[in-house]
Each structure stands twice: as C-alpha cells, then as structure tokens.
Amino acid sequence: MTNREVYLTYKEKGNKEYINSTVLNALLLEVNGFRNFSELILNFDKEIKDFDKFLNLFNEVNDGYPLAYALGKANFIDLEVKVNQHTLIPRPETEELVMRACNYVRKFGVPRGNIYDCCTGSGVIALGMKKYFPDSKVYASDISHEALQVAKENSKNLNLEVNFFEGNKCEPIIENDLMMDIFLSNPPYVEHYEEIDENVKKYEPIDAIYIENGYEFYEYFFMNHKKFMKDQFMMGFEINYDQEQKLIDLVEKYFDVDHTTYSFSKDFYGKTRFLFIFGGVVVEE
C-alpha cells in the first residue's frame, strides 16, 4: 500500500475520538523514517516502508493509548524527548511556563547562575532552561526513580547537562546546601479527580497530577524557600485555574512582602495557570 492509501483507509477505519490527520501523519512519519511533513508529502504515493509497524501503532492509538507513549517520544518547544508511562506527556502549558521564565530573565535581569526544576518528570523544564541558558548550572529532582531514568536519558541524548537528584520535594537540594537563583516547578496540584480526563487517569502517572491537597507542594516551597533560594530570585509555577486566592494568602504568609513581587498569568486558553514570584528583583511591566 502507498502512504496515501494507508492514510485514506485508516482515517476512515479509525476511532474518531483518537484518530485524526495529525495522528496519522505522525504514524506515517515514524514508520517511514521521514524527518518532517514535507518529506511525507513528497513520498505520499510511494509504498509505505513498514506497514506492520504502522498497523501495530495504529491499533494501540485507536484503542486510546496516547500517541506519545506509542511513539515513545514527544516534542517540547524545539526538543524531542523520550517519554513513557512513568512520565507525564509534556503539555503546551509547561512550554509556556519555560518561555515566560526565559522572557522574565531577560526582561528583568534575573540572575540565572543556578536554576532548579523540582518534580522534573521527563526533565523538560530543566532541559528547556539549559538549552536557552547554556552557561547556567541546572539542577532537577524527582521522587520517582523511573522518571529520573527517562530524564537522564533525555539529558544525554540532547547533550544538555543537568544535575539530577532523587528525593521528595526540595529535600535533595537542601541536603546538599545548594542555593538557587531560579526555581521552576509543575508539581501535582489537581485536587478535583473528576476533572481529570479518563485517558489521563488510565495511562499517565496520576501521582504527578492528582493530590488530595492541591496546595501541599506550593506551601512547602513557600515555607522553605529561604533554605534553597538566594536573596535575589525568581520562582515560577504551573497552578490550577481555581487556586489564585489561596496562593495569594500563602505568598503573603511566607514571603517578605516588602521585598517580594508576585503575579498571576493566564494560559492561551484564558485560564489562570502561572504564578511567578520575584525576590529582590525590580519588576517593571
């Protein structure tokens, strides 16, 4: 069968909930070894290189298995990273967290000698920051040994040096007496289990998303920030859409409000999604 015949046949056969043009193109790129969509188009009327592999992948995804896990990889900004069921599939919101952090560093002159990504998962936040600030020392930690193995592999494959630690929350950094200029985290924060997509519950590591107390990690970070943050710092977080007021209360409880600036931002879906806290840094919008 040609790539065109495969595309048309399996677009018609596929479960419309999981199979669309983007998914089929990704599968065809994978099984043909093509680098980009343009190469696929140029070879659209040529024989598919590995139909059996295509069929196996199609059947997995058609049953609801996430495309990224089926392929074993995902894109984050302009990085291709390995993912598996021990790591979350990178979301656009997390890309936005990294890009906002980079913009703030440049705009406000935030020191960036030491950068830390807590709850790193596949390592995408740490790797993104290292890519944009190659002269910074980047650290990352996670409680999951399996996730850290994926993150370390991504670091090696991308030739982006990150110092990884295994442990709960910020304990590894505190234990090693490391002080940070920049702290970023996408911790577990969703406390409404019913709001999580069923496919996410079924396939992704739920402990990286759901937590009974959605403020647990933030309160720990805020309460202990003087143990691992320098006097001048930036902290950035992904948050849930309904957490703003409680997080304001926690920021004002644990930070010196006379020398601290904080702001919330909406994601491109229009939901409040990010909190940035600046200490000892002049922030002028």
Side-chain angles (χ1 to χ4, degrees), residues 148-258:
L148 279 177
Q149 294 305 111
V150 175
K152 290 176 181 178
E153 188 171 339
N154 284 327
S155 175
K156 181 179 179 181
N157 291 342
L158 294 167
N159 195 28
L160 295 170
E161 183 180 357
V162 174
N163 303 284
F164 292 102
F165 295 94
E166 184 174 337
N168 189 35
K169 298 185 173 79
C170 301
E171 291 173 7
I173 295 297
I174 295 172
E175 290 169 359
N176 283 277
D177 297 319
L178 293 167
M179 301 299 288
M180 299 294 143
D181 300 287
I182 296 172
F183 177 98
L184 298 176
S185 185
N186 176 24
Y189 59 71
V190 178
E191 58 184 4
H192 308 298
Y193 189 75
E194 67 280 2
E195 293 184 359
I196 302 172
D197 184 82
E198 290 301 320
N199 239 35
V200 172
K201 293 177 186 176
K202 186 174 181 180
Y203 294 111
E204 299 195 53
I206 197 65
D207 288 346
I209 303 170
Y210 171 75
I211 189 167
E212 187 173 339
N213 174 7
Y215 303 95
E216 177 182 325
F217 277 76
Y218 304 117
E219 184 159 20
Y220 170 88
F221 297 149
F222 298 173
M223 185 190 314
N224 293 285
H225 76 277
K226 290 185 178 179
K227 296 179 181 178
F228 56 86
M229 298 305 296
K230 297 179 183 179
D231 292 337
Q232 282 188 297
F233 66 83
M234 179 180 73
M235 303 178 78
F237 307 93
E238 270 192 58
I239 66 171
N240 212 15
Y241 65 91
D242 59 353
Q243 293 180 320
E244 182 172 343
Q245 186 54 56
K246 175 66 173 178
L247 288 173
I248 289 173
D249 296 339
L250 291 175
V251 169
E252 294 183 351
K253 178 178 179 180
Y254 292 113
F255 289 87
D256 178 358
V257 293
D258 291 332

Side-chain angles (χ1 to χ4, degrees), residues 13-186:
K13 286 185 176 182
N15 182 336
K16 299 301 186 287
E17 184 175 358
Y18 305 120
I19 300 297
N20 54 39
S21 295
T22 300
V23 170
L24 288 170
N25 288 334
L27 295 180
L28 289 170
L29 286 172
E30 176 69 15
V31 302
N32 284 288
F34 296 150
R35 293 165 296 179
N36 51 51
F37 182 67
S38 297
E39 193 171 351
L40 172 60
I41 293 301
L42 289 173
N43 292 276
F44 213 41
D45 290 308
K46 294 183 180 178
E47 288 291 309
I48 187 171
K49 289 185 179 179
D50 193 335
F51 177 72
D52 289 341
K53 182 178 180 180
F54 171 87
L55 193 56
N56 288 335
L57 291 172
F58 173 86
N59 287 334
E60 284 186 325
V61 177
N62 197 50
D63 287 338
Y65 193 58
L67 176 65
Y69 289 156
L71 298 179
K73 59 187 178 182
N75 291 319
F76 184 81
I77 310 176
D78 54 357
L79 302 173
E80 183 179 275
V81 296
K82 175 182 177 179
V83 293
N84 62 27
Q85 285 186 263
H86 298 296
T87 67
L88 290 178
I89 298 169
R91 267 57 171 188
E93 296 90 336
T94 308
E95 291 191 12
E96 193 173 351
L97 176 70
V98 170
M99 298 314 299
R100 284 178 178 272
C102 291
N103 289 337
Y104 288 150
V105 168
R106 298 178 178 120
K107 184 175 181 179
F108 303 135
V110 177
R112 52 181 174 82
N114 288 347
I115 301 173
Y116 178 33
D117 167 21
C118 188
C119 308
T120 194
S122 61
V124 290
I125 293 176
L127 294 166
M129 294 301 287
K130 184 64 177 180
K131 176 178 176 59
Y132 288 108
F133 303 114
D135 57 336
S136 299
K137 290 184 178 179
V138 179
Y139 302 84
S141 68
D142 204 289
I143 198 170
S144 168
H145 177 77
E146 293 80 7
L148 279 177
Q149 294 305 111
V150 175
K152 290 176 181 178
E153 188 171 339
N154 284 327
S155 175
K156 181 179 179 181
N157 291 342
L158 294 167
N159 195 28
L160 295 170
E161 183 180 357
V162 174
N163 303 284
F164 292 102
F165 295 94
E166 184 174 337
N168 189 35
K169 298 185 173 79
C170 301
E171 291 173 7
I173 295 297
I174 295 172
E175 290 169 359
N176 283 277
D177 297 319
L178 293 167
M179 301 299 288
M180 299 294 143
D181 300 287
I182 296 172
F183 177 98
L184 298 176
S185 185
N186 176 24

